[in-house]
Amino acid sequence: MLKIYNTLARQKQDFTPIEAGKVRMYVCGLTVYDFFHIGNARTLTVFDMVYRWLSTTGYQVKYVRNITDVDDKIIDRANKNGESIDSLTGRMVQAMHEDTDRLMMLRPTAEPRATEHIGNMLGLIGGLVDKGKAYPASNGDVYYAVREFGGYGKLSGKSIDDLRAGERVAVDGSKRDPLDFVLWKAAKPHEPHWHSHYGEGRPGWHIECSAMSKAELGETIDIHGGGWDLQFPHHENEIAQSEGASGKPFVNYWMHAAFLNMDNEKMSKSLGNVFTTREILAKLDPVQGGETVRFFLLRGHYRSEINYTWDLLLDSRASLLSLYTALRDVPPAAMQIDWNEPHAARFREVMNDDFNTPMAFAVLHELRAEVNRTKSAELSGLLKALGNTIGLLTQDPARFVQGGEASGDDAAEIDALILQRQEAKKARNFAESDRIRDELKARGIVLEDGAGGTTWRRA
């Protein structure tokens, strides 16, 4: 039985989907005004892992991850660049897919864009106004009336009175209450806008996810995910909107991925420690980099904060290389996982305990040691198959260990030099043998002599 920590219940719960064998999962995606940073990468990777594991355990998963393609940041960045919003968001969506592909992520079942669901948002807003949960204001905006929703604060644990007491911003004269949040923004000059019953305008951020989730998955869904920072106000506001409109539970299981810190400090532009995933990947080996970052992001439990440093990233690469080296030295047999096999049973047990990837990684390393000891192709095949369930060990082992972007000609030249070295050793010409090793070392090629011959990898 799969157990998931439900943020709403504040405890692990047995997972029972609304419809047997099927899962409806929605995850808050990216606002596409720039390349996504390594903190975003953690959340995206976590829920890709969840998607893969649910699929592995037999569920038919509809995984929806939205794209916010109209927003203040997008408008500001497009104006700064002197380009259209469509041009900016088109480039950033393409870049997002390139980078998520490098992190071995599967594409979601659906990737709805906010601008494609304006009609659904207006329909939801209209229903809330009709029910007295929202109101048009004198400034042309439409606001959600927070005090009209009795369950506000149940996800984050915040009370309305405490929030009201802590409100330090002067009340907007068009709002009934400072806690009320915008559903529809009146159009401003030179901004994108759509026609509505309330006048020209564009949607607020929070209404997007409620409308797209309902359109893609229905009024009640199984799992809603996102970063820890989205609990309040974004997810709290989603609950108010969705349940205020439908009168039904919005989400059965809320999941939140914890923060990624940079050198033990929270990421902050003022500290200059915000790095895009693309920047980090550019510093890593092109073959090994994407999976190295994925391995690093999954080494810690998704509900625990993790710390990023370059040394920790390189340590992840070394750990991942040890798994691939075992697969290279003992070619894996093609196989279906036998979940009764002790290693597989243990792997499934820990993954079903709220997706405990640190313990799952420990099982992979135990299995690696067994592969190295027994030289069993079956155990090597099991190692590869278990890693594959969470998006790891999917590449050719020899290619991964060698790394680099060597062309076929480059690899052939290296192999030829290794053969010359072997011939020199046979002729007891150790000076020549050492010369060839040193030449390759100077080119960043490390030779590893073993019982099966000499293999090479990049330093």
Side-chain angles (χ1 to χ4, degrees):
M1 171 67 75
L2 172 64
K3 292 181 180 293
I4 295 177
Y5 184 88
N6 186 352
T7 310
L8 183 63
R10 293 167 179 75
Q11 63 180 350
K12 289 182 191 176
Q13 296 179 323
D14 291 342
F15 177 65
T16 304
I18 298 165
E19 187 176 354
K22 296 183 179 181
V23 177
R24 308 171 199 178
M25 182 169 78
Y26 185 95
V27 173
C28 291
L30 301 174
T31 300
V32 286
Y33 71 99
D34 202 346
F35 303 120
F36 65 88
H37 59 67
I38 190 67
N40 298 139
R42 198 214 180 173
T43 299
L44 297 178
T45 303
V46 161
F47 288 102
D48 178 77
M49 173 272 293
V50 170
Y51 178 33
R52 286 174 179 271
W53 184 250
L54 290 169
S55 300
T56 293
T57 52
Y59 289 109
Q60 180 183 337
V61 186
K62 184 169 184 183
Y63 172 26
V64 178
R65 189 182 69 208
N66 74 294
I67 295 172
T68 296
D69 60 349
V70 59
D71 172 88
D72 290 341
K73 292 178 180 178
I74 292 172
I75 295 168
D76 291 345
R77 181 62 59 86
N79 289 338
K80 181 179 179 181
N81 292 352
E83 65 179 320
S84 70
I85 288 174
D86 286 346
S87 170
L88 172 63
T89 58
R91 286 194 300 108
M92 289 299 104
V93 169
Q94 180 179 345
M96 175 190 74
H97 286 147
E98 292 169 356
D99 293 343
T100 55
D101 286 350
R102 289 192 64 185
L103 295 178
M104 314 295 177
M105 291 187 208
L106 300 174
R107 298 288 173 91
T109 314
E111 275 187 320
R113 300 192 186 196
T115 55
E116 299 169 346
H117 286 265
I118 302 296
N120 290 325
M121 295 176 206
L122 286 169
L124 187 56
I125 292 169
L128 289 169
V129 171
D130 291 343
K131 291 183 177 226
K133 305 286 186 184
Y135 57 93
S138 58
N139 63 356
D141 293 348
V142 180
Y143 292 99
Y144 190 95
V146 167
R147 289 189 181 273
E148 297 300 322
F149 181 68
Y152 196 81
K154 62 184 177 180
L155 178 66
S156 61
K158 299 177 183 293
S159 75
I160 289 181
D161 290 337
D162 288 345
L163 289 168
R164 182 66 181 85
E167 180 65 49
R168 297 179 181 177
V169 180
V171 179
D172 183 329
S174 56
K175 285 186 181 185
R176 296 177 184 171
D177 188 288
L179 298 182
D180 294 349
F181 57 89
V182 68
L183 301 174
W184 185 256
K185 297 181 178 182
K188 295 179 181 177
H190 312 298
E191 286 190 352
H193 57 269
W194 289 263
H195 178 71
S196 81
H197 176 69
Y198 313 103
E200 303 295 307
R202 59 186 174 91
W205 176 42
H206 307 300
I207 197 67
E208 295 179 10
C209 289
S210 286
M212 288 187 277
S213 175
K214 178 184 176 183
E216 295 285 352
L217 299 170
E219 291 179 322
T220 303
I221 67 175
D222 295 298
I223 298 172
H224 193 316
W228 189 256
D229 55 320
L230 296 184
Q231 284 184 74
F232 185 87
H234 185 54
H235 288 164
E236 200 73 74
N237 291 350
E238 280 189 64
I239 292 173
Q241 294 163 164
S242 298
E243 295 187 2
S246 72
K248 302 174 184 177
F250 174 36
V251 175
N252 288 342
Y253 301 86
W254 283 93
M255 295 180 64
H256 292 93
F259 295 128
L260 180 145
N261 297 318
M262 306 295 288
D263 280 328
N264 294 306
E265 291 186 300
K266 185 177 179 179
M267 282 194 295
S268 167
K269 288 184 179 178
S270 63
L271 295 174
N273 65 353
V274 177
F275 298 105
T276 69
T277 305
R278 182 164 286 209
E279 286 176 311
I280 291 171
L281 288 171
K283 297 178 181 179
L284 292 165
D285 180 275
V287 173
Q288 301 167 350
E291 195 167 342
T292 293
V293 173
R294 182 183 183 89
F295 189 89
F296 165 75
L297 294 172
L298 293 178
R299 281 181 94 174
H301 191 276
Y302 78 91
R303 288 191 290 111
S304 298
E305 292 188 9
I306 60 173
N307 190 44
Y308 171 88
T309 68
W310 185 249
D311 286 343
L312 288 173
L313 191 62
L314 294 184
D315 182 69
S316 289
R317 187 184 72 159
S319 185
L320 182 59
L321 270 170
S322 73
L323 298 175
Y324 265 111
T325 300
L327 296 179
R328 181 200 64 185
D329 294 344
V330 184
M335 65 182 306
Q336 295 290 322
I337 298 172
D338 174 8
W339 292 108
N340 292 316
E341 194 278 338
H343 293 95
R346 176 64 176 153
F347 188 92
R348 181 171 62 177
E349 177 187 356
V350 298
M351 284 299 296
N352 278 343
D353 182 14
D354 195 32
F355 311 97
N356 194 335
T357 52
M359 293 302 298
F361 280 24
V363 174
L364 294 180
H365 282 290
E366 290 169 7
L367 193 50
R368 169 191 56 80
E370 284 296 296
V371 170
N372 289 336
R373 182 180 67 82
T374 65
K375 309 303 180 186
S376 166
E378 288 71 25
L379 289 180
S380 182
L382 180 61
L383 172 60
K384 179 176 175 60
L386 290 176
N388 287 178
T389 66
I390 52 176
L392 297 170
L393 308 181
T394 61
Q395 301 185 66
D396 174 73
R399 180 76 178 98
F400 186 90
V401 172
Q402 288 177 356
E405 286 185 298
S407 66
D409 290 343
D410 292 334
E413 180 188 357
I414 293 168
D415 289 339
L417 286 169
I418 290 173
L419 182 60
Q420 290 178 31
R421 176 174 174 267
Q422 290 172 339
E423 294 298 324
K425 289 176 73 175
K426 286 180 183 179
R428 303 186 67 80
N429 186 350
F430 299 116
E432 176 64 6
S433 169
D434 291 345
R435 185 196 67 77
I436 293 172
R437 175 185 283 276
D438 291 343
E439 177 186 337
L440 290 170
K441 183 178 180 180
R443 292 166 57 177
I445 305 301
V446 177
L447 302 184
E448 296 175 337
D449 295 320
T454 300
T455 57
W456 61 273
R457 62 177 175 83
R458 298 186 184 276

